[in-house]
Amino acid sequence: MTVKLDLTNSGIEKKIESIKEKSFGALDKLLSKTGEGNDFLGWIDLPENYNKEEYDRIKKSAEKIKKDSEVLVVIGIGGSYLGTKAVENAIKPYFGKLDGVELIYAGHHLSSTYMVELLDYLKDKDYSLNVISKSGTTTEPAVAFRFLKEAIEKKYGKEESVKRIYVTTDKEKGALKGLANEVGYESFVVPDDVGGRFSVLTAVGLLPLAAAGVNIDELMEGARLGRKKYTTKNFEDNIALQYATAREVLYDENKAIEILVSYEEKMRYLAEWWKQLFGESEGKDGKGIFPASTIFTTDLHSMGQMIQDGVRNIFETVISIENPEKNLNINEEEANLDGLNYIAGKSVDYVNKKAMEGTVVAHVKGGVPNIKIEIDKLDEKNLGELLYFFEITVAVSGYLLEVNPFNQPGVEEYKTQMFKLLGKPGY
């Protein structure tokens, strides 16, 4: 198994049995498409039933982007960029990039300073744009696209810029789709039945990831493996179902905050994607587990005190990577001024793992239940499976909470108030 679940330190293994049947009901509701939000379930079969013609165009466009450009600017917010950044950040080297283009993100906030500095950075670069928006009118990416479209047309001229702008949007309607049809941009589809936070395995994520040099075939293969494993109705074999059930038991015990923990910095944006996935899916009707994240051991020196001794309304889900991509041993020094000779000959990853094990013991003793998710190594196949694992989990969790996991009505309220203050017509 490439992804494993360990509930040994959760303290609720026996209690899971009491609501196992409820979890089966939630999974049945999901797979039979009889629950709320059932018109947004295209992601379930996506690893198998994706558009093969579009997938080939994605690969061809990615190769063209690599030839044309040093940089691809990905314009989008929320699900239109977080999944992409999660995978890219986990796969690429810390210092450098893969064998594709550099990915830069825009339209995910409204910082004027960021936009000015981005436009300045791009002046001496060959670049392309990938604007991602279902409607084409979402404020943050729409503002960014205005500036970047003007800049790329000024740099290359309108005719050449058309060949450097890639649009991922609705299949038939919307402002961005209309513009793509009118001008002739290469266009890809955000499927009608796949919500933004579930869209990383569509053109939304696959085009920029392929352009960056990520092996999207392996990513999809991992997701296919996940679909096979996590849609089974055998509770003992379905660890996504077990995880969702464990979360429900802990929630019933007033554990209202879940901290996703990793001991690998490359997982930082996977956690950011996870927070959107679970926050938007569960946080409704006064319900939901609040998703937070930390990178240990770094955050043990800032958040560790609160986690160890603070309010006991939290639990942790730790993602452990069994085999690091790279490793090195600690050498012995004669002077031993730093006092580290007691771990001489041990690898850095060994020390990291012992820090993880020690922290779990300490936090469990402090009243913080721990769930452990282990993956074999950090590569495309494992990531594809892990993404699908979390998607199934959050869908089942939403139905266990008796909310619609596939809408986000609360997100619209800030937009309404912002538009009123900006004086937008109709508000």
Side-chain angles (χ1 to χ4, degrees):
M1 295 177 67
T2 49
V3 178
K4 301 175 185 177
L5 180 72
D6 184 355
L7 299 174
T8 305
N9 291 298
S10 67
I12 48 97
E13 284 184 282
K14 293 180 180 178
K15 296 177 183 178
I16 286 175
E17 290 293 321
S18 66
I19 68 162
K20 188 164 71 170
E21 292 305 316
K22 186 179 177 182
S23 296
F24 276 130
L27 182 62
D28 279 335
K29 187 183 290 188
L30 178 67
L31 299 181
S32 64
K33 301 184 179 180
T34 57
E36 284 190 281
N38 56 48
D39 48 345
F40 283 96
L41 299 181
W43 58 272
I44 295 176
D45 296 323
L46 189 63
E48 294 284 354
N49 298 336
Y50 59 90
N51 186 319
K52 306 300 191 295
E53 181 273 332
E54 182 178 66
Y55 191 79
D56 288 340
R57 284 199 300 117
I58 286 171
K59 287 186 168 183
K60 289 176 183 176
S61 293
E63 290 305 312
K64 183 178 184 300
I65 292 167
K66 288 180 186 180
K67 292 177 183 176
D68 287 347
S69 305
E70 302 164 82
V71 173
L72 175 65
V73 183
V74 181
I75 307 168
I77 196 167
S80 295
Y81 93 100
L82 270 175
T84 302
K85 189 155 187 173
V87 174
E88 184 219 6
N89 206 64
I91 295 297
K92 75 173 185 176
Y94 276 117
F95 308 102
K97 60 185 184 66
L98 296 167
D99 64 355
V101 297
E102 176 187 6
L103 294 187
I104 293 179
Y105 299 86
H108 54 304
H109 51 63
L110 289 166
S111 168
S112 56
T113 302
Y114 184 95
M115 181 53 65
V116 171
E117 291 187 10
L118 172 58
L119 292 170
D120 187 59
Y121 179 78
L122 293 172
K123 284 179 181 177
D124 299 322
K125 303 285 185 181
D126 277 321
Y127 65 97
S128 297
L129 307 178
N130 179 201
V131 56
I132 305 165
S133 175
K134 185 82 168 169
S135 65
T137 58
T138 304
T139 305
E140 295 90 342
V143 168
F145 187 46
R146 273 206 179 192
F147 284 108
L148 288 160
K149 179 173 175 289
E150 180 182 349
I152 201 169
E153 288 178 350
K154 183 177 180 181
K155 183 179 180 76
Y156 296 105
K158 286 195 173 184
E159 186 176 340
E160 173 62 22
S161 68
V162 169
K163 302 173 186 176
R164 291 176 173 269
I165 296 176
Y166 300 82
V167 169
T168 308
T169 188
D170 191 90
K171 184 178 181 180
E172 296 178 347
K173 61 184 185 298
L176 198 53
K177 179 60 177 174
L179 178 64
N181 288 344
E182 178 186 340
V183 178
Y185 298 138
E186 184 76 23
S187 184
F188 299 92
V189 174
V190 181
D192 289 334
D193 58 357
V194 179
R197 57 188 176 274
F198 292 85
S199 67
V200 62
L201 298 176
T202 71
V204 170
L206 296 179
L207 175 61
L209 288 172
V214 171
N215 187 331
I216 62 172
D217 289 340
E218 284 292 293
L219 189 70
M220 293 297 282
E221 179 58 30
R224 277 191 287 274
L225 179 61
R227 176 180 176 272
K228 181 178 179 181
K229 291 164 63 173
Y230 307 132
T231 57
T232 180
K233 296 181 181 180
N234 185 323
F235 191 84
E236 285 66 33
D237 292 338
N238 190 336
I239 60 172
L241 190 59
Q242 293 173 33
Y243 176 44
T245 308
R247 295 178 78 252
E248 177 70 4
V249 172
L250 288 165
Y251 183 63
D252 287 343
E253 296 187 348
N254 298 314
K255 301 298 184 183
I257 299 171
E258 179 178 13
I259 303 176
L260 190 72
V261 178
S262 177
Y263 286 75
E264 173 55 67
E265 178 68 27
K266 283 190 172 189
M267 299 293 278
R268 183 174 295 276
Y269 279 94
L270 188 284
E272 294 300 314
W273 169 83
W274 175 87
K275 285 191 286 190
Q276 184 199 5
L277 181 69
F278 280 76
E280 274 195 354
S281 297
E282 290 188 328
K284 292 149 198 172
D285 304 331
K287 302 175 183 177
I289 299 171
F290 187 89
S293 65
T294 54
I295 300 293
F296 289 165
T297 60
T298 303
D299 293 333
L300 287 172
H301 295 259
S302 57
M303 294 295 290
Q305 178 63 40
M306 174 61 75
I307 295 169
Q308 186 71 45
D309 288 338
V311 180
R312 300 298 78 187
N313 63 346
I314 61 177
F315 68 97
E316 292 175 309
T317 296
V318 180
I319 299 181
S320 174
I321 301 164
E322 187 173 355
N323 298 298
E325 184 182 355
K326 298 180 176 72
N327 205 357
L328 70 168
N329 288 339
I330 298 166
N331 295 324
E332 186 170 0
E333 287 190 356
E334 186 175 347
N336 195 29
L337 295 175
D338 52 19
L340 289 181
N341 276 357
Y342 76 102
I343 51 173
K346 305 293 186 183
S347 72
V348 173
D349 186 65
Y350 175 86
V351 176
N352 199 28
K353 292 287 197 307
K354 295 306 171 188
M356 178 183 70
E357 292 169 17
T359 302
V360 169
V361 171
H363 287 182
V364 170
K365 286 179 67 176
V368 179
N370 264 247
I371 294 170
K372 181 181 176 183
I373 296 169
E374 185 178 283
I375 63 174
D376 175 41
K377 57 185 175 180
L378 203 52
D379 62 10
E380 289 93 338
K381 189 174 181 180
N382 279 280
L383 278 170
E385 183 180 342
L386 189 63
L387 293 172
Y388 197 88
F389 168 84
F390 281 130
E391 289 176 350
I392 286 288
T393 296
V394 79
V396 172
S397 291
Y399 285 144
L400 285 171
L401 285 169
E402 299 181 348
V403 301
N404 179 350
F406 306 109
N407 65 356
Q408 52 277 343
V411 174
E412 301 307 314
E413 183 60 24
Y414 97 85
K415 297 179 184 178
T416 298
Q417 299 306 323
M418 177 180 69
F419 293 152
K420 284 181 182 179
L421 292 169
L422 289 170
K424 183 176 181 177
Y427 288 84

